[in-house]
Amino acid sequence: MENITSNQNGRVKAWQKLQTKKGRQANQTYLLDGWHLVQEAIHHDGHLHAIMGTSAQLAEHQEELPLGVPVFEITTDIAKKLSDLVTPQGIFAEVSLPTAKREPQYVHQGAWLFLDGIQDPGNVGTMVRTADAAGFAGVVFGEGSVDPYSPKAVRAMQGSQFHLTITDGDLLKWTNTFRDNEINVYGTQLDPTAADLFSVQPQATFALVMGNEGQGMRPELAAATSQNLFIPLSGEAESLNVAVAAGIAMFALKQR
Amino acid sequence: MENITSNQNGRVKAWQKLQTKKGRQANQTYLLDGWHLVQEAIHHDGHLHAIMGTSAQLAEHQEELPLGVPVFEITTDIAKKLSDLVTPQGIFAEVSLPTAKREPQYVHQGAWLFLDGIQDPGNVGTMVRTADAAGFAGVVFGEGSVDPYSPKAVRAMQGSQFHLTITDGDLLKWTNTFRDNEINVYGTQLDPTAADLFSVQPQATFALVMGNEGQGMRPELAAATSQNLFIPLSGEAESLNVAVAAGIAMFALKQR
């Protein structure tokens, strides 16, 4: 075990670079912050490159640390540099970004969530977590959607990235390929002339598209779906938070 | 119209104090940040004490500003002092905290959301917005729930506080009173031995209790409900974000 005490240490600087998308892309890794996430990576073979912890955290979890992964003891001060939280727990892991890119022509079953231009990292992370809880097979990030491996998105995912497939892709291509294979693709719109979400029979194999927080789905994607759905609103609110809307739609459409 | 150019102006200092709960309680007012919220307050008779805007914002919305409410022109610099956003829109209103406290014995219909110790202002705001969208009559904040009028909560509510009743209260008293009046109170738990949410018939008049993000409902409250429900999770996620869970439960239980 290596002991790192200086903020200026080269490894610390390299880990800090993982807080930006550019740094994550260059290194093909990202950071997990906190024991719950580190533990998920250990249990799901998350390709760990390093585990970094304060002496207290390493002592507490010593028996659960995997063999063969380099462990670094860091100071509380360094822990704060690696985290965007005010009081981080003090244990981190550096793990590989997933490399396998899925292609829609090889998908024949399961429920899939398509994200078209979702901007908020918290929303994205919450939607991945909810997709996992609803038993979805995967989440496809279309162009213009925010990077799923930012610290805030990773925190909101709560480890669900290890339970389902996450890939990026061209959502028009995914939609057209699914429809060619007779898999329904449901868009979501605020338009009450779309079909009522709750009128659709729950299914095992389909895709659900959620659009950008302000603009909704791109028109060309909305035109390509099998059907567009709306959530009937009874009060005076004009819309729902996109992560809440996604949760309602996923649990309404997915066969239990 | 008064023109304020100094950060040190007494009014500016007084408005800044509304960013804390203590300041809001002392003054019995809170701040709305951005035209959408100011407009909601105007349309719903939100008891406006003042409207503050940059010259550009005041010019843009001049025709919609209500008569009889003092208007203050502020600088972009002051706008930043009043907002917790990096780039605020530049228009604000100071409005009264609701004074009417509702008592459960006078409630005979509608769907009610009880919040037991919810801690995150974003979650609280999102739940109020969703309750509005689902056609709920009101939201009761139990002891230990975060203040609903913090800047972050108010932003997440998106004006829904003007569409339904918000009150604080003793949730055990609310629960017992509802049950005495033969109104169902449904708790929510992660426990799969609770009843399946989706097995309950949608209703017009009932209460739904959401518990703390980490601990769930207080045990004494869980013991007092008519029935406790869980959302069946199919994947490997251990739980849902509380605002997502509340959205799924509200739309599943509320009769449309």
Side-chain angles (χ1 to χ4, degrees):
Chain A
M1 189 178 71
E2 195 176 320
N3 204 324
I4 304 179
T5 55
S6 163
N7 284 341
Q8 300 303 312
N9 181 287
R11 287 190 194 275
V12 174
K13 288 186 177 175
W15 289 323
Q16 282 185 287
K17 286 190 181 145
L18 303 179
Q19 286 159 350
T20 67
K21 182 172 183 180
K22 192 179 156 197
R24 293 188 291 274
Q25 290 295 331
N27 211 40
Q28 287 296 303
T29 61
Y30 69 105
L31 282 190
L32 302 174
D33 182 349
W35 178 245
H36 174 70
L37 296 181
V38 175
Q39 199 179 27
E40 287 281 336
I42 294 170
H43 290 171
H44 291 88
D45 190 19
H47 299 282
L48 289 96
H49 295 241
I51 290 174
M52 305 80 96
T54 59
S55 59
Q57 282 292 316
L58 292 179
E60 186 176 339
H61 303 296
Q62 191 177 9
E63 307 218 329
E64 293 179 75
L65 298 183
L67 299 171
V69 176
V71 175
F72 300 89
E73 185 181 315
I74 58 174
T75 63
T76 308
D77 195 37
I78 293 173
K80 286 189 181 173
K81 296 269 179 207
L82 299 187
S83 179
D84 64 338
L85 296 175
V86 180
T87 49
Q89 215 179 346
I91 190 154
F92 302 84
E94 179 186 359
V95 296
S96 288
L97 288 176
T99 47
K101 185 164 169 157
R102 290 294 292 271
E103 293 293 341
Q105 57 271 31
Y106 305 116
V107 173
H108 299 289
Q109 58 188 357
W112 290 76
L113 178 65
F114 295 176
L115 301 184
D116 182 36
I118 308 285
Q119 285 306 303
D120 181 78
N123 282 339
V124 155
T126 301
M127 286 193 273
V128 170
R129 177 182 177 191
T130 309
D132 177 19
F136 272 50
V139 181
V140 186
F141 283 72
E143 298 111 71
S145 280
V146 78
D147 183 57
Y149 298 102
S150 70
K152 199 175 166 198
V154 169
R155 195 159 52 243
M157 280 195 245
Q158 299 235 340
S160 286
Q161 71 269 36
F162 300 117
H163 307 158
L164 44 64
T165 298
I166 294 185
T167 186
D168 54 8
D170 174 345
L171 293 184
L172 264 178
K173 184 182 161 194
W174 275 77
T175 298
N176 291 330
T177 309
F178 269 37
R179 294 196 62 191
D180 287 347
N181 293 336
E182 297 185 338
I183 300 174
N184 285 324
V185 178
Y186 296 105
T188 47
Q189 293 185 316
L190 277 173
D191 178 4
T193 64
D196 184 332
L197 166 71
F198 297 102
S199 70
V200 179
Q201 276 301 104
Q203 302 169 27
T205 298
F206 65 95
L208 168 71
V209 193
M210 300 302 303
N212 173 270
E213 286 91 340
Q215 269 76 53
M217 281 188 295
R218 279 175 296 150
E220 61 270 36
L221 189 58
T225 59
S226 318
Q227 193 171 27
N228 292 321
L229 309 175
F230 80 101
I231 300 176
L233 304 185
S234 336
E236 289 182 81
E238 289 154 19
S239 63
L240 289 162
N241 166 279
V242 68
V244 172
I248 294 167
M250 285 192 267
F251 275 84
L253 291 175
K254 176 74 166 55
Q255 208 170 60
R256 279 181 294 273
Chain B
M1 189 178 70
E2 193 176 322
N3 204 324
I4 305 179
T5 56
S6 163
N7 284 341
Q8 301 304 312
N9 180 286
R11 288 191 193 274
V12 173
K13 289 185 177 177
W15 289 322
Q16 281 185 288
K17 286 190 183 146
L18 302 179
Q19 285 159 351
T20 66
K21 182 172 180 179
K22 193 180 154 196
R24 293 188 291 274
Q25 291 296 332
N27 211 41
Q28 287 295 304
T29 61
Y30 68 105
L31 282 190
L32 301 174
D33 182 349
W35 178 245
H36 175 69
L37 296 182
V38 175
Q39 200 178 26
E40 286 282 334
I42 294 169
H43 291 171
H44 291 86
D45 190 19
H47 298 283
L48 289 96
H49 295 239
I51 290 175
M52 307 80 97
T54 59
S55 60
Q57 282 293 316
L58 292 179
E60 188 176 338
H61 303 297
Q62 191 177 9
E63 307 219 329
E64 293 180 74
L65 298 183
L67 298 173
V69 175
V71 175
F72 299 89
E73 185 180 315
I74 57 174
T75 64
T76 308
D77 195 37
I78 293 173
K80 285 188 182 173
K81 296 270 179 206
L82 299 188
S83 178
D84 65 336
L85 295 174
V86 180
T87 49
Q89 217 181 345
I91 190 154
F92 302 83
E94 179 186 358
V95 295
S96 288
L97 287 176
T99 46
K101 186 164 169 157
R102 289 293 291 270
E103 293 293 340
Q105 57 271 32
Y106 305 115
V107 172
H108 300 290
Q109 58 187 358
W112 290 77
L113 179 65
F114 294 175
L115 301 183
D116 182 36
I118 307 286
Q119 284 307 303
D120 181 80
N123 282 340
V124 154
T126 301
M127 286 193 273
V128 171
R129 177 182 176 191
T130 309
D132 177 20
F136 272 50
V139 181
V140 185
F141 283 71
E143 296 110 73
S145 281
V146 77
D147 183 59
Y149 299 103
S150 71
K152 199 175 165 197
V154 169
R155 195 157 53 241
M157 279 195 245
Q158 299 233 342
S160 286
Q161 72 269 36
F162 299 117
H163 307 157
L164 44 65
T165 298
I166 293 185
T167 187
D168 54 8
D170 174 345
L171 293 183
L172 264 178
K173 183 181 162 195
W174 276 76
T175 298
N176 291 331
T177 308
F178 269 38
R179 294 195 61 191
D180 287 346
N181 292 336
E182 296 185 337
I183 301 173
N184 284 324
V185 179
Y186 295 104
T188 48
Q189 292 186 315
L190 278 173
D191 179 4
T193 64
D196 184 333
L197 166 72
F198 297 102
S199 69
V200 179
Q201 277 301 103
Q203 301 168 28
T205 298
F206 65 96
L208 168 70
V209 193
M210 299 304 302
N212 174 271
E213 286 91 341
Q215 268 76 53
M217 280 188 295
R218 279 175 295 151
E220 61 269 35
L221 188 58
T225 60
S226 318
Q227 192 172 27
N228 292 321
L229 309 175
F230 80 101
I231 300 176
L233 305 185
S234 337
E236 290 182 80
E238 288 153 22
S239 63
L240 290 163
N241 165 279
V242 68
V244 172
I248 294 168
M250 285 191 267
F251 275 84
L253 292 174
K254 176 75 166 56
Q255 208 171 59
R256 278 181 296 274

